[in-house]
Amino acid sequence: MKKICHTLILLFFTISPILAADEATGSIKGKIIDAQTKEAIEFANVSISSPTNGQIIKGAITDPSGTFIISNVAEGSYTLSVSFIGYSTLTRKITLTSKTKTLNLKQIALSEDSKVMSEVEVVGQKSQMKFEIDKKVFNVDQNIAATGGSASDVLTNIPSVEVDNEGEVSLRGNSSVTVWINGKASGLSADNRGEILEQMPAESIEKIEVITNPSAKFSPEGTAGIINIVLKEDRKAGYYGSIQGGYDTEGGGNASGNINYSSGKLDAYANIGYRKRKNEGGGYSYRDNIANRTFLNQQTESENNGGNLFTRMGATWHITRGNHLSLNGMGMFGDRKGNSTIRYVSGARDNLVPDFNRSRATKSDNDMNMMNFDFGYKHDFSDNSNIDLTVSHSRFKMDNQSIYDQLTRYTDESREPESVYQRQQNNMRHKNWEIQMDYTNQLDKNSKIEAGYKGTLSRENSPVETYSGTTASDMTLDEQLYNHFYYNQDIHALYFTYGGRWNQLGYQAGLRGEYSKISTRSLTFGETKHDATPYKDDYFSLFPSLFLSYELPGNNELQINYTRRISRPWGGRLNPFKNITDATNISFGNPELTPEFSNAFELNYLKNWENHMLSFSGYYRTTHDVIEGISYLQGEVMYSTSENVAKSQSAGVEVVVKNKLFKNILDLTTTVNCFYYKLDGFSYMMEGVDQPITGEGDKDFSWNAKMIANVMLPYSISLQVTGSYNAKKVIAQGYRKANYTLDAGLRKSFFNKKLSLSVNARDLLDSRKWHTITSGSGFEQDAKNWRGGRKIGFTLTYSFGNMRARPNKDKRYEKGGDNMMYQDDME
């Protein structure tokens, strides 16, 4: 596979200049909209034919914004035809001359054909993933395998995205990624997003956008890019909704309902859902303590269950044509209970009889709630310029109580068994305000400016109290294990971008400036907030971006871009408090961590055919002050923390191929990501440790692949199979072994698609496990862990409502001849 990856990289950078050298004869573009609602129409068919014999010459399909482009068209006169199920077909005469390099038809409006609407039955399946030059868009309603699951389940089925056993999300093999909800943080942080994504129901998600190299308009947080979770908030005219219920073989279940209403003046939505979760997990760790010639082996068993209520509601009031007010709210309330047992065996490597056996039982009870509210106002100065203001506030609360019951028995009968009983209360309070104002002005059809401000004010407050003893009755407050952590982060940003087009060349340049102010306090027992000296870090950073694209003949496009990005350490990595969940594996944070800074380059090539799509993305990224987890051994205890250890480089090629085969019965999406990663060696001297913590420099050529197959079967049955493979990958102080997964799902529709039944199987091969090999000063360790396993779920969905209702015509719009509408904007 490595040879194939090397060949792909060489081929990509070889053919790109050749493709760019071709010249197009001319092109035709436009935007298809609904004549009454003014909404874009996706998947409309656009074709040009000979006016003499009617023979079709070329064609295209509109994208999510309703736009289309037909490239490499010779000079002459044609008949343009636009059609879509449920609308009257539109035809018009057009002419492409030598003076018109690109014929821009602006907006083209289609009128609904009510007769067709009542007679046509659509047989087909919406594409699960749409690929655009700057992002991938994943339609969640087509992800049958994740029906009844969580947002984490959805993310595991998205190309280039991985979710590990702890809920950590990575993109293209890099865990420094930003996750948003509806384009905003919405209360998500690296401290809590694993919990929230695990509890967020998949049925509340409309689509997921993956942006690997965002422009200066977007936050530069996350060196790997942005994953934006877009929740359902349809704006179709009329009222409609659905109710859903499901059950899985592990004892979990879900139930939800939603309702939507839309008219010319008001758009409103509301949904509520409950999800119950149950899963079992486990793992093992074999540690060889080379320095003192001892070993420590452990086996882990765990069981988790819980339930949460997820609710959303919102409305947009169109006061006038140019003024819009919106108010949205989201809440999540639930709990998670867990029981785990770790069994240890330790002794001398040369002795057949271990020195001791230890068992440590943990019982945890976690209550969580999250709320987010946002207010929005948008003013349209004209069809070409507007200002958009959003103010949002989020609160996250998590109360966790854990009880640890540990018993150690020694082989030496002269030593009495030792008991340790501990109760730890760990509470987290997180508040966040976001203020964002964006200004957009389409100066003319070929140039556009965007500018704005974003302020983020975050406050985190996390007290921890621990009581220790030999039994529950003799516990007292353990002053050594008391901690109260405060984390404040303020970020103020200004950005400006300018973009345009000159013939086939598109361009955009931008600059973002951010001032960051960070303060942390970690209080020990007896200290007050004013006693502890805070650790502060204030800095200003610039983040430039540059995007260039070139339209090639035959539906080809080439793009090159550059951005600078940042990854700030999150609260858990900064808190120096030591976690005692596992007494032989203690983790703690480092308050002196500094941000990672990355320079990212991408070269993208996209080619579309009628039933096929091919994309190459070549990327290169350098990162300074890489934050990595490091481990060191003291006696029999392994300590783990984080440090800015070194510099890394990564480069690779991501290939995406989409194929519609056998008259659209089979839809295949295949992604292969081949990447090279190099991490420099490091030597770090930690306070209180006798010798430096070292890590040898390492480099690796790795790859991963994912294939999603959607099949339309007879009797309105849809089949979906998702398979993925992750090759061996280098990590700090070791590597992670290869793993693979397979998910599948079936969906059957009844009663004109008002009722549907989904059956999905998660982790069919019971292979979703993580196996790592690490080594450091005086130790070698082999560890494997897993969560959940094979699971089959059943979900029933009923849809209702008047999907065909339309608002009254807006008298401010005028319709031209042949239903053709013209405006100056081409957004």
Side-chain angles (χ1 to χ4, degrees):
M1 187 66 195
K2 289 185 178 181
K3 292 183 178 179
I4 296 175
C5 289
H6 282 297
T7 304
L8 285 172
I9 294 176
L10 180 61
L11 178 64
F12 172 63
F13 288 104
T14 301
I15 67 173
S16 295
I18 299 174
L19 292 167
D22 291 336
E23 292 290 339
T25 304
S27 61
I28 302 167
K29 66 179 182 179
K31 180 176 182 178
I32 311 301
I33 64 171
D34 184 292
Q36 294 189 8
T37 67
K38 314 306 177 214
E39 293 180 349
I41 299 177
E42 185 181 4
F43 300 117
N45 293 302
V46 184
S47 64
I48 57 172
S49 59
S50 169
T52 56
N53 56 21
Q55 181 179 356
I56 295 178
I57 299 172
K58 283 182 175 293
I61 298 175
T62 57
D63 65 14
S65 65
T67 59
F68 70 90
I69 183 167
I70 305 175
S71 303
N72 200 23
V73 181
E75 299 174 18
S77 297
Y78 303 95
T79 299
L80 178 79
S81 177
V82 184
S83 63
F84 188 68
I85 294 175
Y87 292 83
S88 299
T89 299
L90 177 149
T91 59
R92 186 175 180 85
K93 304 295 184 183
I94 60 172
T95 301
L96 186 66
T97 66
S98 58
K99 296 181 180 180
T100 308
K101 196 70 175 177
T102 300
L103 178 60
N104 192 343
L105 299 177
K106 312 297 183 185
Q107 290 190 349
I108 304 172
L110 294 186
S111 297
E112 181 184 352
D113 188 338
S114 58
K115 294 181 181 179
V116 175
M117 284 292 289
S118 62
E119 296 172 358
V120 173
E121 179 183 359
V122 180
V123 179
Q125 188 175 21
K126 186 179 179 181
S127 176
Q128 186 178 4
M129 189 184 80
K130 293 172 291 186
F131 191 89
E132 300 174 13
I133 197 68
D134 62 340
K135 63 183 176 183
K136 292 188 283 286
V137 181
F138 187 88
N139 294 304
V140 174
D141 61 345
Q142 299 302 311
N143 189 349
I144 306 173
T147 302
S150 67
S152 294
D153 296 329
V154 175
L155 290 172
T156 59
N157 285 314
I158 294 181
S160 306
V161 178
E162 182 184 357
V163 182
D164 68 14
N165 192 41
E166 303 301 324
E168 183 74 27
V169 180
S170 60
L171 177 61
R172 287 179 175 173
N174 189 335
S175 61
S176 178
V177 58
T178 296
V179 181
W180 283 343
I181 299 176
N182 290 339
K184 300 183 290 292
S186 302
L188 264 68
S189 68
D191 289 297
N192 62 35
R193 73 184 183 196
E195 289 277 350
I196 294 175
L197 295 177
E198 179 62 28
Q199 298 187 57
M200 181 179 292
E203 59 267 19
S204 68
I205 304 172
E206 177 183 350
K207 60 185 177 182
I208 292 178
E209 300 174 338
V210 178
I211 311 171
T212 54
N213 215 17
S215 71
K217 178 179 179 179
F218 300 98
S219 168
E221 184 71 38
T223 56
I226 297 170
I227 297 175
N228 184 30
I229 300 173
V230 181
L231 301 180
K232 290 180 179 177
E233 188 182 331
D234 290 337
R235 287 291 184 257
K236 299 175 184 177
Y239 72 92
Y240 51 96
S242 66
I243 55 176
Q244 185 179 83
Y247 174 81
D248 65 55
T249 53
E250 285 194 348
N254 65 91
S256 65
N258 71 85
I259 184 73
N260 295 264
Y261 173 78
S262 183
S263 67
K265 281 289 185 181
L266 181 68
D267 300 321
Y269 66 92
N271 71 279
I272 186 170
Y274 177 79
R275 183 165 181 263
K276 181 181 179 182
R277 309 174 313 285
K278 292 187 69 175
N279 64 68
E280 296 181 354
Y284 65 76
S285 174
Y286 303 135
R287 184 189 305 159
D288 187 1
N289 302 327
I290 301 173
N292 54 16
R293 301 184 61 80
T294 63
F295 70 90
L296 177 65
N297 298 338
Q298 66 182 62
Q299 299 279 344
T300 305
E301 297 175 355
S302 64
E303 180 180 294
N304 297 285
N305 65 84
N308 69 281
L309 187 72
F310 181 84
T311 181
R312 295 179 64 241
M313 59 176 18
T316 300
W317 177 27
H318 306 287
I319 306 171
T320 65
R321 182 185 179 186
N323 293 280
H324 316 272
L325 283 176
S326 64
L327 183 64
N328 300 277
M330 174 175 63
M332 184 183 296
F333 315 90
D335 65 352
R336 185 182 67 175
K337 301 180 188 300
N339 293 287
S340 66
T341 301
I342 306 175
R343 295 180 175 85
Y344 306 86
V345 177
S346 180
R349 283 194 299 166
D350 301 329
N351 193 346
L352 297 178
V353 180
D355 292 341
F356 68 83
N357 289 274
R358 175 182 297 159
S359 66
R360 184 175 178 85
T362 302
K363 182 179 181 180
S364 62
D365 191 346
N366 188 330
D367 291 324
M368 187 202 81
N369 65 65
M370 183 267 285
M371 293 180 289
N372 178 260
F373 302 94
D374 66 72
F375 167 81
Y377 170 70
K378 182 180 180 182
H379 175 71
D380 299 317
F381 297 104
S382 67
D383 291 335
N384 299 321
S385 66
N386 64 72
I387 190 167
D388 197 346
L389 170 67
T390 302
V391 179
S392 62
H393 177 62
S394 63
R395 288 176 175 265
F396 177 81
K397 174 184 176 183
M398 184 166 63
D399 295 334
N400 176 263
Q401 179 177 272
S402 299
I403 294 176
Y404 308 104
D405 189 359
Q406 179 174 297
L407 177 63
T408 304
R409 288 188 171 90
Y410 296 93
T411 305
D412 184 353
E413 296 181 355
S414 64
R415 299 185 64 178
E416 294 292 327
E418 294 180 0
S419 296
V420 177
Y421 195 93
Q422 293 174 311
R423 175 169 58 85
Q424 185 177 87
Q425 185 71 36
N426 187 352
N427 301 330
M428 179 184 289
R429 304 290 185 270
H430 184 272
K431 296 187 293 184
N432 185 79
W433 281 94
E434 281 191 7
I435 304 170
Q436 183 163 348
M437 181 176 290
D438 298 301
Y439 171 73
T440 302
N441 191 346
Q442 187 82 36
L443 301 176
D444 54 48
K445 65 179 181 180
N446 289 322
S447 60
K448 181 180 181 180
I449 63 171
E450 293 178 296
Y453 162 81
K454 182 176 181 180
T456 304
L457 311 176
S458 300
R459 301 291 181 268
E460 183 178 315
N461 177 3
S462 305
V464 179
E465 286 187 347
T466 306
Y467 291 79
S468 299
T470 58
T471 64
S473 59
D474 65 5
M475 288 190 304
T476 58
L477 180 64
D478 194 332
E479 298 180 2
Q480 299 299 316
L481 295 176
Y482 174 89
N483 180 255
H484 198 151
F485 183 64
Y486 293 90
Y487 174 46
N488 298 338
Q489 177 178 262
D490 295 344
I491 302 173
H492 300 275
L494 292 171
Y495 76 87
F496 177 84
T497 68
Y498 174 79
R501 178 168 292 276
W502 182 66
N503 294 328
Q504 275 66 49
L505 178 66
Y507 54 89
Q508 185 200 78
L511 181 65
R512 186 183 187 96
E514 288 195 350
Y515 170 70
S516 303
K517 183 179 180 181
I518 296 172
S519 173
T520 66
R521 281 185 174 92
S522 183
L523 310 185
T524 60
F525 183 77
E527 285 187 315
T528 67
K529 189 175 181 179
H530 301 289
D531 294 332
T533 303
Y535 177 83
K536 295 183 178 182
D537 191 10
D538 300 356
Y539 53 93
F540 178 79
S541 307
L542 290 175
F543 301 95
S545 67
L546 178 64
F547 289 74
L548 298 173
S549 64
Y550 190 81
E551 292 181 10
L552 301 169
N555 290 328
N556 292 265
E557 186 164 354
L558 191 67
Q559 185 194 67
I560 185 171
N561 57 62
Y562 159 77
T563 64
R564 185 174 189 250
R565 302 193 60 76
I566 187 174
S567 179
R568 298 177 178 88
W570 45 276
R573 276 186 159 173
L574 296 171
N575 188 358
F577 175 68
K578 291 181 170 59
N579 188 327
I580 63 166
T581 304
D582 179 353
T584 60
N585 295 278
I586 295 177
S587 61
F588 60 97
N590 179 0
E592 297 186 0
L593 288 177
T594 59
E596 299 178 354
F597 286 94
S598 276
N599 293 293
F601 302 84
E602 280 197 13
L603 180 61
N604 301 315
Y605 168 69
L606 181 64
K607 166 66 178 175
N608 281 293
W609 294 270
E610 183 176 356
N611 292 312
H612 308 281
M613 186 278 296
L614 172 64
S615 166
F616 280 88
S617 296
Y619 58 90
Y620 174 72
R621 180 173 57 243
T622 61
T623 304
H624 297 267
D625 296 327
V626 175
I627 300 174
E628 283 281 357
I630 59 174
S631 300
Y632 61 94
L633 194 66
Q634 283 193 317
E636 296 179 348
V637 180
M638 178 73 73
Y639 291 89
S640 299
T641 187
S642 298
E643 179 57 41
N644 297 99
V645 295
K647 174 184 175 182
S648 71
Q649 300 177 62
S650 59
V653 167
E654 182 181 63
V655 183
V656 181
V657 181
K658 284 179 60 65
N659 299 286
K660 293 183 178 180
L661 307 171
F662 312 114
K663 297 182 179 180
N664 293 336
I665 293 177
L666 174 62
D667 188 318
L668 283 178
T669 300
T670 306
T671 304
V672 178
N673 182 29
C674 306
F675 58 93
Y676 167 83
Y677 180 77
K678 179 184 178 183
L679 180 67
D680 292 348
F682 62 90
S683 178
Y684 175 70
M685 192 68 195
M686 178 169 285
E687 185 178 352
V689 180
D690 296 335
Q691 54 186 340
I693 301 168
T694 61
E696 295 183 2
D698 207 347
K699 56 185 178 181
D700 185 38
F701 200 97
S702 188
W703 62 280
N704 54 59
K706 188 169 292 187
M707 177 177 284
I708 304 171
N710 292 286
V711 185
M712 288 301 302
L713 301 175
Y715 307 107
S716 298
I717 298 176
S718 303
L719 168 66
Q720 182 184 102
V721 180
T722 303
S724 64
Y725 179 83
N726 295 291
K728 173 184 171 183
K729 179 187 173 183
V730 168
I731 60 175
Q733 295 181 290
Y735 62 91
R736 187 192 66 191
K737 288 190 174 182
N739 62 48
Y740 55 91
T741 63
L742 183 66
D743 300 329
L746 277 171
R747 178 183 291 156
K748 163 66 177 172
S749 298
F750 306 90
F751 307 119
N752 197 24
K753 297 192 175 181
K754 289 187 176 181
L755 185 69
S756 67
L757 173 65
S758 298
V759 181
N760 61 76
R762 296 273 301 161
D763 199 8
L764 270 171
L765 305 177
D766 198 19
S767 58
R768 211 171 239 117
K769 300 176 181 180
W770 289 263
H771 193 172
T772 59
I773 307 295
T774 55
S775 61
S777 300
F779 78 93
E780 293 179 351
Q781 182 168 284
D782 180 342
K784 190 173 186 178
N785 58 79
W786 55 89
R787 182 178 59 176
R790 188 181 296 110
K791 178 172 65 176
I792 300 176
F794 306 85
T795 304
L796 193 64
T797 304
Y798 174 71
S799 300
F800 61 88
N802 179 14
M803 300 294 292
R804 292 175 52 212
R806 292 283 188 256
N808 294 328
K809 292 183 178 180
D810 191 335
K811 300 298 183 181
R812 291 165 295 197
Y813 289 86
E814 295 182 359
K815 184 166 65 176
D818 293 330
N819 295 333
M820 184 75 77
M821 297 187 65
Y822 296 88
Q823 290 187 9
D824 291 335
D825 60 325
M826 277 296 299
E827 297 181 351

